[in-house]
Amino acid sequence: MAHDNSSGSGHPAADSSADPSAHGQELQVAAGTGVISRDAVVDPGLPPHRKRVTDLDPKKDKRAERAVYTLFYLSIAGSVWAVAAYMAFPIEPEDIASVRLNNLFIGLGMALALLAIGIGAVHWGKALMHDEEGIDYRHKVGGNQASRDRAVEIMHQANVESGIGRRALIRNSLIGSLIVFPLPGIALFRGLAPYDEDPVELMQHTMWKEGTRLARDPSGTPIKASDVTLGSAFHVIPENLHEADHVLNEKAKAIVLLMRLKPEDLVEEESKKDWSYDGIVAYSKVCTHVGCPVALYEQQTHHLLCPCHQSQFDVTNHCAVIFGPAARPLPQLPITVDDEGYLVARSDFHEPVGPSFWERH
C-alpha cells in the first residue's frame, strides 16, 4: 500500500491542487497586496576597506601634502600672472595682434589658476582626507538639543577627517589661492570703460540731434511717417551713422525701436506730448538692465521684451518697467516729421541710454 514519505515528520503534505502555478495557471493577486519575493537579493554589505599608500607610508603622505599646497601656490602664481599680463600686453587700437596676445596670456594665467585649485582640491580629497566608509542616517528635520549637539560633533569630525585644522600649509595656501583668484577678473573690469573719457558723458550723448532722419537698420533708408503702419515696428539708426569715426560704438548707443499705436492708446505726460507723432513713438533699444537689445514687440499688449533677462516695458506708458530686473524706463527719442514727410529727431535723448549704472547725477 502506498504511503506518504512525509508521514511521521509532523508536517502535512503540500496540496498541489491548491496552487494554481502547479497547473500552469498564473496566480492572481488582488490590487494593493504586498508580495514578498522568496528569492530577494541579500545585501552583500560593504567590501573590506583598503588603505591607501598615504595611509600606510608617512613619506608618501607628506609627499601628497606637498603636492597639494604646491598646486594651490601655482594657482596664486597663475592669478598674479593674469593681472601682470593685463598690464604687460595691453590692447592697442586697430592692432588685432595685441588683442590676440592679451587674450592668450590672460587666459593662460586664469586657466592655470583655476585648474590648479581644482586639481589640488581633488588630490587633497583622494589622497589625504579621511577614507572610511560611513552611513549617515536620515532623521526628521528639526532642532532639539541632541540634534544640535550632533551637528557640532559632525563639524568637528569633518575638521578632523579633512585635516584642514592640522595641515596648516594646505589650509593657508588654499585660502590664499581663493583670495587671489578673483583679482584677474577685477582687473579686467577696467577694460570695460574708456581710459581717457568719462563713461557717463559718453553715454549721455548719441548721434541723434535735431533734424537727424530716422533710417532703417541696416540699410540706412530714411523712413516716412506714412511707411509706419499701425502695429508695425522698425529697427532704426541715424541716417548719418556711416559718417561716424567708430560706427559700431555709435550704433550701439543710438539704436532705436520705432512703433505706431493708436494715439488714444498712448498715456503721455504733458511735457512729452510732442515727443511722438500721430501715434508713432521711438525708444532706445538698449535695455536699462545690462544693455541687451530690447527688440521683441508684442503689438496686442504693446509690450517690449528684453530676451536676456525678461524685463518688460509698457510702450503705451513711456516704456515704464512692468516686469523684470530693469530699474528704469527705456529712454524716449523725441521725434517729428520734416517738410518731406520723413521722420526726424527733435533732439538727442534727454537721459543716458543703457544700463542704469551708467547714470550718475
Side-chain angles (χ1 to χ4, degrees):
M1 182 177 181
H3 61 86
D4 187 353
N5 290 333
S6 65
S7 60
S9 64
H11 299 285
D15 184 4
S16 62
S17 62
D19 185 3
S21 61
H23 300 282
Q25 300 176 8
E26 184 177 347
L27 179 62
Q28 299 295 322
V29 181
T33 301
V35 179
I36 301 177
S37 175
R38 292 191 180 94
D39 59 346
V41 177
V42 179
D43 183 1
L46 295 173
H49 178 68
R50 295 176 58 189
K51 290 189 175 183
R52 302 165 300 188
V53 292
T54 51
D55 298 327
L56 301 172
D57 188 343
K59 291 184 178 179
K60 292 185 178 179
D61 178 85
K62 198 66 179 177
R63 187 183 305 164
E65 182 179 1
R66 285 197 297 268
V68 171
Y69 65 68
T70 300
L71 283 165
F72 291 154
Y73 284 137
L74 276 175
S75 174
I76 295 175
S79 297
V80 173
W81 166 254
V83 175
Y86 176 77
M87 296 180 286
F89 302 95
I91 295 177
E92 303 292 343
E94 310 302 330
D95 183 5
I96 192 65
S98 69
V99 177
R100 295 194 186 103
L101 289 175
N102 182 274
N103 291 342
L104 172 63
F105 289 111
I106 292 177
L108 287 174
M110 295 182 70
L112 174 61
L114 187 57
L115 282 172
I117 288 179
I119 296 172
V122 171
H123 190 48
W124 182 11
K126 294 180 74 67
L128 296 174
M129 289 187 182
H130 191 70
D131 189 41
E132 294 286 343
E133 292 78 10
I135 300 175
D136 187 11
Y137 292 101
R138 301 186 66 176
H139 54 82
K140 293 183 178 179
V141 177
N144 53 35
Q145 188 59 42
S147 64
R148 289 195 290 270
D149 293 342
R150 176 57 180 156
V152 173
E153 182 184 345
I154 290 173
M155 294 296 293
H156 175 70
Q157 183 180 355
N159 175 45
V160 173
E161 293 178 353
S162 66
I164 196 170
R166 61 186 176 86
R167 298 184 188 271
L169 280 173
I170 288 181
R171 180 186 67 246
N172 296 339
S173 60
L174 172 62
I175 293 173
S177 63
L178 291 176
I179 291 174
V180 176
F181 175 70
L183 294 182
I186 295 173
L188 290 175
F189 278 123
R190 182 62 188 88
L192 298 179
Y195 287 91
D196 54 353
E197 297 179 88
D198 180 7
V200 177
E201 181 68 20
L202 288 175
M203 301 303 289
Q204 182 79 45
H205 302 289
T206 70
M207 288 191 66
W208 294 110
K209 59 184 180 180
E210 185 177 4
T212 301
R213 284 181 174 179
L214 280 67
R216 297 174 185 263
D217 182 17
S219 65
T221 305
I223 304 171
K224 286 190 172 183
S226 57
D227 297 334
V228 187
T229 57
L230 193 64
S232 61
F234 286 73
H235 299 269
V236 173
I237 54 175
E239 183 185 25
N240 59 342
L241 178 64
H242 65 280
E243 300 173 3
D245 294 331
H246 302 286
V247 174
L248 291 181
N249 288 346
E250 293 300 333
K251 180 178 180 178
K253 297 188 295 181
I255 50 177
V256 163
L257 201 64
L258 186 75
M259 297 142 290
R260 187 168 203 154
L261 292 72
K262 295 179 180 178
E264 59 269 22
D265 289 340
L266 292 174
V267 180
E268 297 179 292
E269 297 176 10
E270 194 63 35
S271 61
K272 298 181 179 179
K273 280 188 175 292
D274 60 349
W275 286 19
S276 62
Y277 178 79
D278 195 22
I280 302 175
V281 289
Y283 286 94
S284 170
K285 277 178 60 177
V286 186
C287 183
T288 53
H289 178 217
V290 292
C292 298
V294 181
L296 302 177
Y297 176 56
E298 211 293 304
Q299 61 176 246
Q300 299 298 322
T301 60
H302 307 304
H303 292 171
L304 282 175
L305 171 67
C306 176
C308 292
H309 305 100
Q310 312 307 308
S311 293
Q312 293 185 31
F313 306 87
D314 185 1
V315 178
T316 64
N317 186 24
H318 300 291
C319 271
V321 181
I322 55 176
F323 181 80
R328 63 188 178 95
L330 295 174
Q332 183 175 0
L333 180 68
I335 59 171
T336 185
V337 293
D338 59 15
D339 296 338
E340 300 179 47
Y342 288 101
L343 290 166
V344 296
R346 284 182 173 272
S347 65
D348 197 357
F349 293 103
H350 287 218
E351 57 183 312
V353 299
S356 297
F357 56 75
W358 288 115
E359 188 177 9
R360 298 289 185 269
H361 292 306

